[in-house]
Amino acid sequence: QQGSSKTSKTCSACKVGAALFFREHVVSIVKVPLANGHAYFDIIDSLPNPRTGGMASRTRCKDLSSFEAMLKCYAATRFSDAHFNFIDSNAWNDGMCDFDPRVFQAFVWSSS
């Protein structure tokens, strides 16, 4: 039903998630809607982390701005100096996507 109040391009009450295959491991992002219309954003990293006793980690961001900051910080820590040099020295090239450190594969889902 287009145009009805039940449909919209964004769904603040929907649970939404993504699994990203990035830098040789899986990172999941889940938006958890709250009853007050706000949402939490969880970042789940499959890489063992020394701060978590060698286990995977889950970081909860309690608003969109903290989620955006955490995601930028997280992504920046996954690149080495060699990766940054490659990115700075090479424009995007579809033919080099197997070697480009910026490449990731994503699967996205929603509860509705």
Side-chain angles (χ1 to χ4, degrees):
Q1 263 182 318
Q2 278 187 302
S4 81
S5 62
K6 292 182 182 180
T7 61
S8 69
K9 292 188 187 247
T10 61
C11 181
S12 61
C14 296
K15 189 176 229 184
V16 178
L20 308 172
F21 297 93
F22 174 71
R23 304 290 314 130
E24 302 174 357
H25 71 285
V26 178
V27 177
S28 297
I29 299 171
V30 179
K31 182 189 100 178
V32 181
L34 304 173
N36 64 4
H38 296 278
Y40 290 160
F41 300 88
D42 292 348
I43 301 172
I44 302 111
D45 187 354
S46 68
L47 267 184
N49 186 328
R51 294 184 320 211
T52 61
M55 298 172 46
S57 65
R58 180 182 196 134
T59 304
R60 174 157 283 175
C61 302
K62 294 192 173 181
D63 61 40
L64 186 57
S65 62
S66 63
F67 169 68
E68 289 173 349
M70 177 61 191
L71 199 55
K72 288 176 184 177
C73 180
Y74 175 85
T77 64
R78 297 298 168 233
F79 293 112
S80 67
D81 287 341
H83 293 133
F84 283 121
N85 289 337
F86 180 89
I87 292 166
D88 290 342
S89 302
N90 295 281
W92 176 255
N93 179 338
D94 288 344
M96 293 294 292
C97 68
D98 288 341
F99 308 102
D100 195 311
R102 295 169 279 201
V103 173
F104 64 91
Q105 185 178 23
F107 298 91
V108 179
W109 58 265
S110 173
S111 63
S112 64

